[in-house]
């Protein structure tokens, strides 16, 4: 049985593996001066429907940290949800590498709004306080919820009106686009987002993420930041080639739509068994309340993480390779 612990647990999509193998032929120039990388940059521009600057890095933490570095000074503050990945799961890397302070906001559903951010503007201009410079949101959020296009636009307008940039942690951006049935242009370009950490490894890739600048003024010196932070891959073609396959024939959206559908099916099956689903299932995450006495038994069949031990809430993640049979077998555990 496949595990529901994380979409990072899944393997690599066969099309991605084939792309890596095809890129392995012969010699090409290093450090991104290859045709694969040049082509990938063109494809990102096509997919976004606007000129963007794209830089490949090794992993999501680096993508987030470097995106924030490009938009901040050491005295800056980054506003984010209390549950944000940059706050909870990156071992202090954003603060360590940017020098910035993270100002966190408790949320009901993982989403920020301008109303809850207004209180951080009171000390703007006061030299005794870190200065709000970036609003960082996750799309999808860590609770599996999705910002609507309207919510994104409202948040960006608020940030820009108050002299701040907007960063999107897009580790699961494909799941958000699939959920909203929109384009990257509608969700990110037209709403005015400045920079996004564009994920792939949670959606069928082997490794590598992209930092995509829609506000190209922020990327002017980014190549130096990337090198300084040890994220310049010498054999960059192996990341670039993956993204070429990722976007070819809409593979990235097919994978995300499938994962989303499997999460919704899992939630429906668990709900039918009487388990409470804690948040709307809008992406590929399901948060459910399990009685403590059955968690260990269920984890023995298919590992998953406990999200809130005190409340007995668990997180179940569907992946591009999750099947209906995987879900049926998992739910069957609770019937024994």
């Amino acid at each position: 049985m496949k595990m529901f612990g994380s979409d990072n647990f899944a393997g690599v999509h066969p099309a991605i593996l084939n792309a890596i193998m095809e890129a392995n032929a012969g010699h090409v120039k290093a450090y991104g001066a290859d045709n694969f990388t040049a082509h990938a940059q063109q494809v990102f521009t096509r997919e976004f429907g606007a000129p963007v600057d794209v830089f490949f890095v090794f992993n999501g933490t680096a993508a987030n940290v470097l995106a924030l570095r490009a938009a901040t000074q050491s005295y800056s503050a980054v506003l984010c949800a209390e549950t944000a990945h940059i706050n909870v799961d990156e071992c202090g890397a954003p603060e360590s590498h940017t020098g910035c302070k993270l100002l966190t906001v408790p949320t009901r559903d993982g989403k920020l709004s301008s109303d809850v951010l207004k209180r951080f503007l009171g000390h703007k201009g006061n030299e005794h306080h870190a200065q709000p410079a970036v609003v960082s949101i996750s799309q999808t959020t860590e609770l599996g919820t999705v910002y609507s296009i309207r919510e994104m636009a409202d948040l960006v307008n608020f940030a820009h009106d108050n002299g701040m940039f907007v960063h999107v942690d897009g580790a699961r951006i494909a799941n958000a686009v699939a959920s909203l049935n929109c384009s990257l242009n509608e969700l990110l370009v037209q709403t005015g987002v400045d920079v996004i950490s564009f994920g792939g490894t949670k959606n069928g890739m082997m490794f590598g993420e992209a930092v995509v600048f829609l506000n190209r003024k922020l990327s002017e010196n980014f190549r130096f930041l990337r090198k300084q932070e040890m994220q310049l891959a010498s054999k960059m073609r192996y990341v670039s080639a993956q993204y070429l396959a990722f976007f070819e024939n809409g593979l990235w959206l097919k994978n995300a739509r499938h994962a989303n559908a499997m999460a919704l099916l899992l939630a429906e099956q668990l709900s039918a068994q009487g388990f409470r689903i804690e948040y709307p299932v809008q992406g590929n995450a399901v948060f459910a309340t399990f009685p403590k006495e059955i968690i260990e038994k269920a984890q023995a069949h298919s590992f998953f993480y406990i999200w809130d031990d005190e409340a007995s809430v668990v997180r179940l993640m569907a992946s591009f390779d999750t099947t209906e049979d995987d879900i049926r077998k998992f739910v069957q555990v609770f019937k024994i």
Side-chain angles (χ1 to χ4, degrees):
M1 186 184 296
K2 296 190 185 79
M3 292 182 280
F4 291 93
S6 173
D7 35 14
N8 276 329
F9 286 18
V12 180
H13 192 281
I16 303 293
L17 282 176
N18 288 338
I20 293 172
M21 291 297 295
E22 290 173 4
N24 199 42
H27 286 208
V28 302
K29 292 181 179 179
Y31 300 107
D34 60 90
N35 290 334
F36 295 97
T37 301
H39 188 193
Q41 291 168 338
Q42 294 171 359
V43 169
F44 266 93
T45 293
R46 180 195 74 201
E47 294 293 328
F48 275 80
V52 294
D53 290 337
V54 184
F55 298 84
F56 298 115
V57 296
F58 289 111
N59 54 46
T61 297
N64 284 335
V65 168
L66 285 172
L68 293 174
R69 272 202 67 185
T72 58
Q73 302 291 335
S74 59
Y75 51 81
S76 299
V78 176
L79 312 184
C80 64
E82 193 174 58
T83 52
H85 199 275
I86 60 172
N87 181 52
V88 177
D89 289 310
E90 290 181 342
C91 198
E95 292 173 309
S96 174
H97 287 259
T98 66
C100 297
K101 184 176 183 61
L102 297 184
L103 298 178
T104 62
V105 181
T107 68
R108 179 183 58 82
D109 57 2
K111 296 195 289 186
L112 298 178
S113 68
S114 57
D115 288 340
V116 301
L117 295 179
K118 287 177 182 176
R119 65 185 177 91
F120 292 103
L121 301 178
H123 296 296
K124 199 168 176 62
N126 187 328
E127 65 194 66
H128 298 286
H129 298 266
Q131 296 297 292
V134 177
V135 175
S136 180
I137 66 173
S138 300
Q139 179 73 313
T140 63
T141 73
E142 282 71 26
L143 299 182
T145 52
V146 173
Y147 288 90
S148 69
I149 293 175
R150 175 65 179 274
E151 288 172 326
M152 293 274 289
D154 287 347
L155 203 54
V156 172
N157 289 337
F158 168 81
H160 288 176
D161 287 346
N162 289 282
M164 295 183 285
F165 299 112
V166 175
H167 162 252
V168 173
D169 180 345
R172 297 184 177 95
I173 190 63
N175 302 93
V177 172
S179 177
L180 295 170
N181 194 29
C182 66
S183 67
L184 289 170
N185 186 277
E186 291 171 315
L187 184 60
L188 300 171
V189 178
Q190 293 183 33
T191 56
V193 166
D194 295 289
V195 59
I196 176 173
S197 306
F198 196 100
T201 54
K202 290 179 169 63
N203 195 28
M205 281 178 45
M206 180 182 288
F207 69 95
E209 308 284 297
V211 182
V212 183
F213 290 94
L214 294 80
N215 180 347
R216 301 172 76 190
K217 291 181 180 179
L218 291 178
S219 65
E220 290 176 354
N221 296 309
F222 189 79
R223 60 195 181 102
F224 302 108
L225 289 178
R226 179 174 63 174
K227 176 65 176 181
Q228 188 179 65
E229 292 292 345
M230 300 164 283
Q231 289 294 317
L232 178 61
S234 58
K235 296 186 178 181
M236 197 179 294
R237 57 172 154 164
Y238 296 106
V239 179
S240 308
Q242 291 182 76
Y243 273 110
L244 292 178
F246 194 61
F247 286 119
E248 188 174 0
N249 298 320
L251 178 64
W252 68 295
L253 278 179
K254 292 176 185 176
N255 286 353
R257 287 189 183 113
H258 177 78
N260 288 1
M262 291 299 99
L264 192 58
L265 178 61
L266 176 59
E268 291 171 350
Q269 294 286 314
L270 291 173
S271 182
Q273 292 297 312
F275 298 109
R276 188 174 69 205
I277 306 303
E278 296 294 330
Y279 306 107
V281 180
Q282 298 174 323
N284 64 323
V286 178
F287 291 82
T289 300
F290 284 178
K292 291 182 182 296
E293 60 269 18
I294 72 167
I295 288 179
E296 186 175 349
K297 173 186 174 182
Q299 283 179 319
H301 284 79
S302 180
F303 178 79
F304 53 83
Y305 286 107
I306 299 173
W307 183 260
D308 184 336
D309 186 57
E310 184 176 350
S312 199
V313 175
V314 305
R315 188 193 73 167
L316 306 162
M317 298 298 302
S319 306
F320 78 90
D321 62 350
T322 302
T323 67
E324 292 185 15
D325 190 53
D326 295 326
I327 293 170
R328 181 186 60 78
K329 290 178 179 177
F330 179 66
V331 174
Q332 187 66 31
V333 171
F334 304 107
K335 298 179 181 179
I336 299 175

